[in-house]
Amino acid sequence: MIRPATPADIPAIHTLIRELAEYEKALEEAKATPDQLHEALFGDHPAAYAHIAADDTTGETLGLALWFLNFSTWRGVHGIYLEDLYVRPTARGAGHGKALLTELARLCVERGYQRLEWSVLNWNAPSIAFYEALGARPQDEWTVYRLTDDALAELGAGPDRAAV
């Protein structure tokens, strides 16, 4: 069963995010709190959305797709950027990941969005094979850049303090 997340799902979402961070060997970077997730997903101005894969019988949360809208200036329309897709190891191979991606693709088609994009770690061969089997293709000509922590603070302090 795939369904939109509700506020009651926040503890499970938080747990799944931490499980994903551990799988990606970056647990120390997973600093989001349940309160932050609640505000981002269900506050007055939601910045992100989530869908849950749940067991049809027990309702147990088995997977998560957390996403937000992006915008293509070239196409002139929104798309979905999938921030996190995670299915618990014990539930993998049962179609939950594909069902989550199918739901996001359905939303794109229904709403006129023209892209569904995400990033995957280069070493994550099982995920890469899964995505490519669905028809997704890597965008090898692009390199992701990121500013965080001290570098972000320094640049954000303005030209008088940035050492560029």
Side-chain angles (χ1 to χ4, degrees):
M1 166 176 57
I2 305 300
R3 61 173 177 74
T6 68
D9 292 313
I10 291 296
I13 291 170
H14 186 255
T15 298
L16 290 170
I17 289 170
R18 293 192 56 78
E19 288 177 17
L20 173 60
E22 185 171 24
Y23 173 76
E24 292 184 350
K25 302 173 179 95
L27 183 57
E28 67 284 351
E29 295 180 39
K31 298 177 182 179
T33 67
D35 287 342
Q36 288 173 314
L37 293 170
H38 187 277
E39 182 63 26
L41 294 168
F42 304 107
D44 291 338
H45 303 285
Y49 307 90
H51 281 76
I52 299 292
D55 184 277
D56 289 335
T57 305
T58 67
E60 176 190 3
T61 302
L62 303 173
L64 165 73
L66 198 145
W67 57 277
F68 55 88
L69 294 178
N70 60 14
F71 184 79
S72 169
T73 57
W74 289 14
R75 294 194 175 211
V77 297
H78 282 295
I80 286 177
Y81 186 85
L82 176 61
E83 179 66 21
D84 288 331
L85 177 68
Y86 180 72
V87 175
R88 287 192 158 132
T90 56
R92 291 183 188 155
H96 303 295
K98 183 177 182 181
L100 285 162
L101 284 171
T102 298
E103 176 60 12
L104 297 186
R106 186 194 68 74
L107 287 173
C108 286
V109 171
E110 177 183 281
R111 297 176 184 181
Y113 304 161
Q114 294 186 10
R115 290 182 179 165
L116 173 55
E117 297 179 309
W118 61 91
S119 297
V120 61
L121 291 165
N122 292 333
W123 58 259
N124 194 344
S127 292
I128 291 168
F130 167 67
Y131 297 144
E132 290 183 355
L134 296 176
R137 295 294 170 252
Q139 302 299 298
D140 293 334
E141 66 274 14
W142 294 92
T143 300
V144 176
Y145 282 83
R146 178 178 297 156
L147 280 171
T148 60
D149 304 324
D150 292 343
L152 179 62
E154 184 176 334
L155 185 60
D160 295 338
R161 296 181 51 194
V164 178

